[in-house]
Amino acid sequence: MIPVEVGDPTDPRLADYARLTDVGHRVRREPAAGVFIAEGATVLERALDAGFTPRSLLLAPNRVEPAAALAARVAAAGAPVFVAGPDVLERLTGYHVHRGLLAAMDRRPLPTIAEVLAGARRVAVLEDITDHTNVGAAMRSAAAFGVDAVLVTPSCADPLYRRAIRTSMGACFTVPWTRLERWPEDIALLHDAGFVTAALTLGERAVPLDEFVARRPAAVALVLGSEGDGLRASTIAAAAVEVTIPMAGGIDSLNVAAAAAVAFYATR
Ligand SMILES: C[S@@+](CC[C@H](N)C(=O)[O-])C[C@H]1O[C@@H](n2cnc3c(N)ncnc32)[C@H](O)[C@@H]1O
């Protein structure tokens, strides 16, 4: 398989890779165009293993040989493989592509909420998280600690954004997840499905995490809030219980991805 050489960063065949550092542009364009970007060999391999369909592969010249097997998989799926020099890659994407491998992949329709909740006993809700690395890290912990599904609120950052995927090490491809349509109204769907909704907060009325775990709820939804303000007051009011991770050392709160990891581990 011989990659097609491209020397012009404005070549329309590379449009999926344009302005990768322009977050505002990418978060609008990618879901609308039904595309996401897999960066690096490991992430691409996991995306292919998870059954995602490639649209194209773009390699730096020094990645053509090491990525030959992956390129063959992409070509076998009917997608073109391009090679472009470092200058072209940098002008196209807006950054120095040091991994030298980018793949444009087709998104799949998200499952329905009912589908991801079916058979689940432990789920997480990520409310309005803005930082893609936090979303990716939470997804990685969800996979590591056996959380059955993740629900993201309408304003939460995209789990299939390049940086979220990279931080998750591909867990965004394997953990069942979907986007809620109305929040916090959709918390009623969790209650109807039998979940005890636990709002993770720093509130004084909150039950310590160990105490909550000792109650052994049959099905639990762990609801985590945004980096700045934490959970909305309306979400806390609608949740069945407030749960806190006791802090020491004068630290008032954990980063949301760290809090997710602790809560996922404790409730495993
Ligand atoms: C950085 S914190 C937000 C802090 C915010 N000032 C607040 O009052 O919630 C982001 C999210 O992580 C979770 N979190 C962080 N530390 C926590 C703790 N000690 N106990 C429970 N949840 C915590 C909460 O869900 C919180 O909304």
Side-chain angles (χ1 to χ4, degrees):
M1 194 280 316
I2 299 168
V4 177
E5 205 168 322
V6 182
D8 175 4
T10 66
D11 188 314
R13 292 173 298 176
L14 302 187
D16 279 337
Y17 305 98
R19 295 163 61 189
L20 285 183
T21 52
D22 183 344
V23 181
H25 167 70
R26 298 302 306 190
V27 299
R28 278 191 307 277
R29 184 184 185 278
E30 290 186 11
V35 67
F36 70 86
I37 299 294
E39 182 175 27
T42 306
V43 167
L44 172 58
E45 186 172 25
R46 290 182 185 174
L48 293 171
D49 289 349
F52 284 94
T53 305
R55 292 185 180 204
S56 66
L57 174 62
L58 176 58
L59 297 168
N62 65 353
R63 300 309 300 164
V64 171
E65 211 181 299
L70 278 174
R73 285 180 73 180
V74 169
V81 178
F82 300 110
V83 60
D87 287 358
V88 174
L89 286 177
E90 187 156 351
R91 281 163 58 207
L92 170 69
T93 61
Y95 72 108
H96 175 67
V97 185
H98 60 277
R99 284 184 175 80
L101 184 154
L102 295 165
M105 311 291 293
D106 276 337
R107 286 179 186 243
R108 295 193 286 235
L110 289 176
T112 64
I113 299 165
E115 280 167 349
V116 298
L117 292 184
R121 283 287 157 265
R122 203 159 50 103
V123 302
V125 178
L126 306 182
E127 181 187 272
D128 304 347
I129 294 180
T130 57
D131 185 326
H132 290 102
T133 58
N134 282 336
V135 172
M139 295 295 277
R140 186 172 179 168
S141 294
F145 299 127
V147 168
D148 295 314
V150 174
L151 302 158
V152 299
T153 61
S155 307
C156 185
D158 179 12
L160 288 183
Y161 189 73
R162 178 172 55 99
R163 215 175 302 135
I165 293 172
R166 211 177 53 215
T167 313
S168 83
M169 287 307 293
C172 296
F173 306 141
T174 53
V175 173
W177 70 271
T178 199
R179 195 173 282 281
L180 296 159
E181 284 157 19
R182 302 165 312 136
W183 187 256
E185 295 86 337
D186 280 349
I187 203 167
L189 301 177
L190 292 165
H191 293 150
D192 291 348
F195 288 88
V196 174
T197 51
L200 272 290
T201 74
L202 313 173
E204 284 171 8
R205 290 171 307 152
V207 177
L209 180 58
D210 287 343
E211 202 178 308
F212 176 67
V213 171
R215 295 179 188 173
R216 298 191 168 276
V220 62
L222 300 161
V223 189
L224 293 134
S226 67
E227 295 88 346
D229 296 335
L231 285 171
R232 303 181 203 175
S234 54
T235 300
I236 297 171
V241 59
E242 274 183 69
V243 173
T244 198
I245 302 163
M247 301 273 88
I251 304 297
D252 65 337
S253 72
L254 292 168
N255 159 278
V256 61
V262 171
F264 298 166
Y265 179 76
T267 56
R268 74 198 180 285

